Amino acid sequence: MMKARLGGLLSVLWAILLSLPLMNGVDRSKFRTCAQSAFCGRGRNAAQLGAFALDPETLKASDSRIQAVLWHTGSQIRFRFELQALMDGTFRVGLREAFPLVPRFEVPNVLLDETPEGVAWTLEEQSPEGFTASTASTGHRVKISHAPFRVAFFAGEKLRVTLNARDLLHFEATREKPVQAGEGQEAAPAQEPGMWEESFGGNTDSKPHGAQAVGLDFTFHGSEDVYGVPEHADKFNLPDTGSTDPIRLYNLDVFEYELDNPMALYAAVPMVMSQTAEITTGAFWLNAAETWVDVSRSGSGVLGSLSNLVTQGEKSVNVHFLSESGVLDAFIFMGPRPHDVSRQYGQLTGNTPLPPAFSLAYHQCRWNYNDQEDVRMVSDKFDEHDIPMDIMWLDIEHTDAKKYFTWDGRKFPNSLEMIQNLTAVGRKLVTIVDPHIKKDNNYWVHKELTDLGLYVKTKEGNDYEGWCWPGASYYPDFLNPAAREYFAQQYVYDKYQGTTKDVFTWNDMNEPSVFNGPEVTMPKDLIHHGNVEHRDLHNMYGHLYVMGTFDGHILRSEGQQRPFILTRSAFAGSQRYAAIWTGDNTAEWGHLAASVPMCLSLSIAGISFCGADVGGFFGNPDGELFVRWYQAASFQPFFRSHAHIDTKRREPWLYNESELKLIRNAIRTRYSYLPLWYTLFYENEMTSIPPMRPVWYDFPTDTDAFTVEDEFMVGTALLVHPVAKSGASHVNVHFPGREQYWYDILTHERIDHEGSMNIPVKMDHIPVYQRGGSIIPKKERIRRSSALMHDDPITLVVAVDKDNTANGTLYIDDGISYDYRAAKKSLYMQFVFDGQRLSGHQLHTPGYQTGSWLERVVFVGMEKEPKSAKLMSPTGKEEVLGTQYEARKNLLTVRKPGVNMAEDWEIVFQY
Ligand SMILES: *[C@@H]1O[C@H](CO)[C@@H](O)[C@H](O)[C@H]1NC(C)=O
Ligand SMILES: *[C@@H]1O[C@H](CO)[C@@H](O)[C@H](O)[C@H]1NC(C)=O
Ligand SMILES: *[C@@H]1O[C@H](CO)[C@@H](O)[C@H](O)[C@H]1NC(C)=O
């Protein structure tokens, strides 16, 4: 009795203790500010260091390349400038030292092997002040002024983007280290603090090559709205940084990150998109070193020096990229619409390949599921509570002492049987594989990587030892293709024992996280393959790591099966290999809200398969927050619940009956929309257009939508407004576009409203609307896992617009293999409703067989009841279909057309 009470008391105390240290927030002193970073301070004020000028004598224009010598009017140092015109409204600008003392790093493994071809320049006017050149095939013109040096891009007659309008072009050439101060052979800047050595938090960066920063500013004319440069827990519409630190891109493991903050996080994509009602443009700064990004709008009074290009009073936003090293290599995208910029960027860095179908379903994770009994219990409980679930996840504790590619044999003695039990109900398993390698001579991975010399080295040439989960650890040098290859080979089944084709991979801690390193990562003066400093490639370490994992998945299935990989760290192009989540968030309402801008930023920067830990990683969500999080995340691309090891268990059935029911509903709703998600991801691979997108993306002239951050679209069809406040009775929904109808997906109530509107909310769902004019494919027989639903019948929801029309698509394939590419084994249907007839028409070459058939068509917003509905198949067969009309709701249900989804068909109404 006594004992039980004491136990209860202790567990309460324990719960309080656990929740205390979790609420302290980020330790800012661990992470540098711009002022604590020498190159940031210098580059931010580059305009004061003197201007650049183009030497017209050296101008060469041949084919797609304009080349010239640029010189810095202060230091007189000369550089090679190149401007290349590419297909599809893309330009590439480069600036390189003519003769660097040490080779400067050029980013590999980010651009696709085949990037758009060049298009020819025509040199037009030339004068002592500058020249113009145009590309006939893309209709763009550039105007280059010699001194001060500027490059202005025009679409037609309109000035759209200017480079160096603020004279922030900056290039610190390599130089000899002054032997001693006062010898007189070096200009003053060489002796500035931080140019040859810099200390922070007890670490000294030796900078053997001295300062090597590069920077450039991009002005987007007519614009005030610019997005991108993920990953930050900050606004989607990038805030002005005039009175704050610049936005920082430096992949870091930030413990308990804070919201509304430009501090660096786990991923870095140096790409921005500028949005105006007239045009969408963009820029991509291809540099993997630490980068700071300043954003300033013309209203903030910093664009004075633009006088020769900008008419007074014109709106503009300037984005200044500044990197610690590397070369200046950047791209400008001329749009003109959001999906054009996505495509232009996708042609350079690739699209998200169609993921395996299960990965779009619901994932159940925690640090940790303790053992195989725990896994079995959790999996069984999902069935018991009638909640679908596709993937169980195992965090670091499943390994033998944090040695990846191994199992803790006591907790998981029968991993194969455990996996088989999961796959028997269509489920999969994900195991974690981190890049830090335990220092343990009995661990084959450590021994072999040591023998092969594949670890990152110190500047003295020894293997670099850091501290991470396993204790003393080493870090493979993934810049070296041999290290990626070595890792790839570890995934084959006879190496990674106890796994099967149904086991997928989670790459965490790949910023890389080094507990005892400067800013919890690697020192910048470590040495990679080819004598490259870590400084040069830091932001792409995680990217290079997931490349190896991806190769491993391809290798183990001999190229048959699509990989599924989740990564925490990412760089431009990582979308080709992995999904991403927003890292270690917290069980707070603000973090739920932040999942929207964070994933939107990643989406428009190409990384479209994004999600946030449902419930929040740190802390314990109460029932209301947990339910709201499920409701929001069920409409976000990557849908996974995850929690810190010190949090209370939070599987859905541990909440009360009404909360459990709401969580069940949210997850089941996700499953009903899986055909839509899969279709959107197929289209994402084909077109670069992200499935989760900002509301302005498809309504680019709706200027009020440019600042909407608390809702998003799923495709062009669903408008989703998460509820991210406790006790909310109303939310303010922005309905984008003009003359649009929106239908509540549950009540089918029509909203015929433009702009923002107060919508009452209850606990049972969040506001989600289907756009009038869209057709959504759904599956309404929810089973234990998506695999079990593969051949299930389809319901189409036809929501009509003002003209009583609608259209949509449906993509189907085997869900797992690459046959859809090689053998074109897939089905891509287009549905068009013209008010009289709904047709289903196959867009791919026929041949793919499916068991799936058309079970029901629901017409939403039908103001008139048709007399009859007739099904016509291409063979000429006609059949009268059963219908049901609810006049009060304008809802018409057509029952059992029964056609196979691979067939062409029509349903014709008689009035
Ligand atoms: C697999 O499922 C069977 C039947 O439920 C069970 O007896 C067995 O313990 C499970 N094995 C593992 C490793 O979970
Ligand atoms: C579940 O908990 C919430 C508050 O957290 C409460 O409002 C609700 O009534 C509870 N439901 C049941 C069935 O206990
Ligand atoms: C589909 O509908 C949109 C408007 O909702 C329209 O712009 C588009 O042309 C339509 N496509 C087809 C194939 O009918």
Side-chain angles (χ1 to χ4, degrees):
M1 183 68 181
M2 197 52 199
K3 214 171 164 186
R5 241 192 247 157
L6 194 62
L9 191 64
L10 279 177
S11 70
V12 168
L13 281 174
W14 183 228
I16 292 170
L17 274 176
L18 280 181
S19 64
L20 281 179
L22 291 175
M23 295 304 148
N24 287 342
V26 69
D27 179 359
R28 282 167 185 256
S29 69
K30 273 194 172 152
F31 303 103
R32 274 186 300 167
T33 60
C34 177
Q36 290 164 329
S37 168
F39 84 91
C40 187
R42 285 196 307 273
R44 229 180 171 187
N45 298 311
Q48 290 157 23
L49 302 174
F52 279 80
L54 184 144
D55 179 355
E57 300 286 296
T58 61
L59 179 66
K60 272 196 301 201
S62 58
D63 221 9
S64 70
R65 289 165 206 268
I66 291 173
Q67 290 166 317
V69 167
L70 274 195
W71 54 288
H72 186 255
T73 54
S75 67
Q76 306 283 313
I77 296 172
R78 298 166 85 79
F79 300 89
R80 287 188 291 119
F81 166 73
E82 180 172 293
L83 177 63
Q84 200 187 359
L86 303 173
M87 295 285 287
D88 197 12
T90 302
F91 295 89
R92 183 174 195 174
V93 58
L95 193 65
R96 287 167 176 80
E97 274 184 75
F99 303 103
L101 297 184
V102 285
R104 298 194 56 139
F105 185 66
E106 304 256 353
V107 172
N109 303 113
V110 168
L111 297 182
L112 295 173
D113 293 338
E114 292 200 4
T115 51
E117 285 174 37
V119 297
W121 284 111
T122 311
L123 269 189
E124 292 173 342
E125 289 161 54
Q126 272 181 282
S127 76
E129 283 73 48
F131 62 93
T132 35
S134 65
T135 61
S137 56
T138 67
H140 296 107
R141 206 154 51 84
V142 294
K143 191 166 165 183
I144 297 186
S145 71
H146 297 151
F149 172 70
R150 308 254 192 275
V151 185
F153 294 84
F154 294 79
E157 289 306 304
K158 285 250 180 166
L159 173 60
R160 296 303 188 183
V161 183
T162 304
L163 310 186
N164 200 34
R166 291 184 60 203
D167 285 321
L168 291 168
L169 176 57
H170 183 55
F171 204 120
E172 294 176 334
T174 50
R175 68 201 82 190
E176 298 288 350
K177 185 168 184 175
V179 185
Q180 265 182 327
E183 278 191 17
Q185 84 278 36
E186 279 293 326
Q191 275 101 46
E192 264 184 39
M195 291 196 82
W196 294 95
E197 192 176 278
E198 199 171 344
S199 295
F200 177 77
N203 281 279
T204 298
D205 174 9
S206 66
K207 298 202 188 179
H209 308 308
Q212 307 178 53
V214 292
L216 178 63
D217 64 282
F218 300 73
T219 299
F220 299 97
H221 299 278
S223 174
E224 291 188 303
D225 302 287
V226 64
Y227 310 87
V229 289
E231 179 181 23
H232 301 92
D234 210 339
K235 293 272 180 302
F236 176 44
N237 194 325
L238 298 177
D240 257 63
T241 56
S243 56
T244 66
D245 249 17
I247 300 164
R248 190 178 187 206
L249 295 173
Y250 192 57
N251 292 356
L252 292 175
D253 178 4
V254 179
F255 184 74
E256 292 174 359
Y257 64 76
E258 253 175 41
L259 302 179
D260 303 316
N261 193 313
M263 282 173 73
L265 286 181
Y266 317 93
V269 188
M271 187 271 188
V272 287
M273 198 184 275
S274 149
Q275 172 61 13
T276 78
E278 270 181 55
I279 193 170
T280 311
T281 51
F284 170 40
W285 177 256
L286 179 50
N287 190 304
E290 177 180 1
T291 297
W292 296 86
V293 184
D294 264 314
V295 176
S296 53
R297 288 164 178 81
S298 47
S300 47
V302 284
L303 292 178
S305 61
L306 267 175
S307 49
N308 61 337
L309 286 168
V310 182
T311 45
Q312 212 61 38
E314 187 213 46
K315 288 192 294 191
S316 67
V317 57
N318 183 278
V319 179
H320 173 210
F321 285 95
L322 174 65
S323 296
E324 187 181 10
S325 64
V327 297
L328 194 162
D329 188 5
F331 296 83
I332 293 92
F333 308 113
M334 296 298 284
R337 282 298 179 215
H339 59 260
D340 299 310
V341 174
S342 292
R343 182 187 64 249
Q344 288 155 357
Y345 178 70
Q347 283 167 357
L348 297 177
T349 65
N351 296 341
T352 306
L354 178 64
F358 70 82
S359 63
L360 296 173
Y362 174 66
H363 302 248
Q364 183 65 33
C365 186
R366 98 168 258 114
W367 175 25
N368 218 89
Y369 285 120
N370 301 323
D371 51 29
Q372 61 188 38
E373 281 72 41
D374 200 8
V375 170
R376 181 158 63 98
M377 183 275 283
V378 172
S379 176
D380 288 351
K381 286 264 189 188
F382 271 90
D383 295 342
E384 202 178 297
H385 291 283
D386 210 12
I387 307 173
M389 188 269 285
D390 265 58
I391 312 99
M392 290 285 304
W393 289 57
L394 294 177
D395 207 324
I396 51 175
E397 313 298 333
H398 82 276
T399 58
D400 173 13
K402 319 291 190 299
K403 288 177 285 191
Y404 304 105
F405 306 110
T406 71
W407 294 89
D408 181 325
R410 268 181 319 110
K411 299 174 186 163
F412 297 91
N414 306 103
S415 68
L416 288 174
E417 191 182 294
M418 174 183 76
I419 295 161
Q420 205 185 358
N421 282 355
L422 290 171
T423 58
V425 287
R427 295 195 173 125
K428 317 284 179 195
L429 183 73
V430 168
T431 59
I432 198 165
V433 179
D434 286 352
H436 45 257
I437 300 301
K438 185 181 168 92
K439 179 183 185 179
D440 176 345
N441 288 328
N442 296 319
Y443 179 28
W444 82 94
V445 178
H446 174 58
K447 194 167 175 325
E448 289 171 9
L449 287 170
T450 307
D451 293 348
L452 291 166
L454 292 177
Y455 283 132
V456 178
K457 304 273 190 287
T458 64
K459 59 182 186 293
E460 291 82 19
N462 304 315
D463 288 345
Y464 169 69
E465 185 180 312
W467 194 262
C468 209
W469 296 129
S473 302
Y474 292 85
Y475 291 79
D477 177 8
F478 296 107
L479 183 64
N480 189 341
R484 300 200 296 268
E485 168 81 26
Y486 178 84
F487 260 72
Q489 280 163 1
Q490 302 315 305
Y491 286 93
V492 299
Y493 307 119
D494 56 1
K495 272 281 169 63
Y496 193 176
Q497 293 193 357
T499 67
T500 72
K501 68 178 177 41
D502 295 302
V503 178
F504 296 84
T505 302
W506 177 12
N507 286 161
D508 195 0
M509 309 296 279
N510 52 340
E511 294 73 28
S513 179
V514 182
F515 293 160
N516 59 338
E519 303 193 79
V520 201
T521 191
M522 274 184 187
K524 287 174 171 173
D525 53 5
L526 296 187
I527 301 298
H528 290 261
H529 184 58
N531 214 18
V532 172
E533 274 196 289
H534 184 68
R535 167 185 343 275
D536 292 323
L537 60 81
H538 173 83
N539 284 354
M540 67 183 304
Y541 183 87
H543 171 82
L544 293 166
Y545 180 46
V546 294
M547 284 178 70
T549 309
F550 188 90
D551 290 346
H553 279 220
I554 296 293
L555 191 67
R556 69 174 195 181
S557 77
E558 294 171 349
Q560 295 305 301
Q561 212 191 354
R562 290 173 236 163
F564 170 72
I565 300 158
L566 180 73
T567 183
R568 191 169 72 182
S569 180
F571 187 64
S574 297
Q575 66 270 17
R576 303 200 297 267
Y577 309 112
I580 194 169
W581 92 107
T582 61
D584 299 345
N585 60 1
T586 300
E588 289 171 2
W589 288 93
H591 278 263
L592 163 55
S595 68
V596 176
M598 289 182 81
C599 282
L600 287 177
S601 296
L602 285 157
S603 278
I604 67 129
I607 303 189
S608 55
F609 196 178
C610 173
D613 284 347
V614 173
F617 178 69
F618 295 112
N620 298 303
D622 65 18
E624 186 191 9
L625 175 58
F626 204 42
V627 166
R628 289 305 193 196
W629 210 313
Y630 269 100
Q631 290 170 337
S634 68
F635 287 96
Q636 294 173 354
F638 176 62
F639 182 23
R640 183 185 73 153
S641 186
H642 183 40
H644 189 278
I645 195 165
D646 292 338
T647 61
K648 286 191 284 190
R649 291 287 288 240
R650 56 167 88 147
E651 288 73 43
W653 48 90
L654 299 178
Y655 285 78
N656 77 22
E657 198 52 45
S658 49
E659 291 153 350
L660 167 62
K661 183 165 165 258
L662 296 174
I663 293 168
R664 177 193 296 122
N665 277 348
I667 299 177
R668 291 172 67 94
T669 300
R670 169 59 163 237
Y671 278 69
S672 72
Y673 281 108
L674 285 175
L676 172 68
W677 279 105
Y678 200 56
T679 302
L680 289 171
F681 269 93
Y682 173 71
E683 291 170 349
N684 186 198
E685 176 173 6
M686 297 297 130
T687 64
S688 320
I689 300 174
M692 175 180 175
R693 48 187 101 155
V695 278
W696 47 261
Y697 197 94
D698 294 291
F699 302 95
T701 60
D702 181 355
T703 53
D704 291 338
F706 295 178
T707 49
V708 171
E709 316 236 334
D710 51 2
E711 63 189 44
F712 57 91
M713 296 281 297
V714 177
T716 58
L718 290 178
L719 174 68
V720 181
H721 191 109
V723 175
K725 276 208 180 73
S726 175
S729 60
H730 286 80
V731 292
N732 222 359
V733 177
H734 177 83
F735 292 94
R738 297 271 166 273
E739 314 244 307
Q740 290 286 337
Y741 286 162
W742 298 93
Y743 300 92
D744 184 306
I745 59 163
L746 288 186
T747 62
H748 305 293
E749 184 198 342
R750 189 175 86 191
I751 308 267
D752 179 7
H753 181 87
E754 292 164 15
S756 97
M757 186 174 170
N758 223 5
I759 300 285
V761 292
K762 293 212 234 68
M763 231 18 240
D764 64 346
H765 77 294
I766 58 171
V768 180
Y769 302 90
Q770 183 173 347
R771 183 180 58 84
S774 67
I775 300 179
I776 292 182
K778 296 179 73 178
K779 282 183 179 170
E780 293 188 328
R781 305 180 183 193
I782 309 304
R783 302 181 197 276
R784 286 182 286 187
S785 66
S786 68
L788 302 180
M789 295 163 61
H790 183 261
D791 284 331
D792 274 0
I794 293 284
T795 290
L796 292 178
V797 182
V798 180
V800 300
D801 59 14
K802 280 206 154 73
D803 302 323
N804 210 27
T805 68
N807 65 55
T809 49
L810 168 65
Y811 176 78
I812 299 179
D813 64 17
D814 65 20
I816 198 85
S817 83
Y818 279 111
D819 281 1
Y820 76 104
R821 288 188 189 164
K824 302 254 182 291
K825 286 190 182 154
S826 64
L827 193 71
Y828 190 38
M829 298 294 291
Q830 183 176 54
F831 308 111
V832 177
F833 179 58
D834 66 5
Q836 287 284 327
R837 63 184 65 212
L838 170 69
S839 64
H841 172 64
Q842 164 131 229
L843 297 173
H844 284 175
T845 318
Y848 179 76
Q849 311 276 319
T850 174
S852 196
W853 50 280
L854 185 61
E855 182 168 44
R856 185 181 304 118
V857 186
V858 180
F859 291 82
V860 185
M862 291 288 271
E863 288 177 352
K864 249 171 66 187
E865 180 180 9
K867 271 211 246 27
S868 72
K870 234 190 264 173
L871 176 74
M872 331 255 278
S873 64
T875 53
K877 216 176 75 187
E878 285 188 26
E879 186 188 330
V880 175
L881 300 172
T883 59
Q884 187 194 342
Y885 186 67
E886 284 176 76
R888 202 174 43 82
K889 289 185 164 179
N890 291 338
L891 202 65
L892 175 77
T893 304
V894 175
R895 284 205 216 88
K896 275 228 170 142
V899 282
N900 186 278
M901 288 317 296
E903 285 175 46
D904 283 7
W905 48 266
E906 278 187 356
I907 292 170
V908 182
F909 291 136
Q910 245 89 50
Y911 284 97

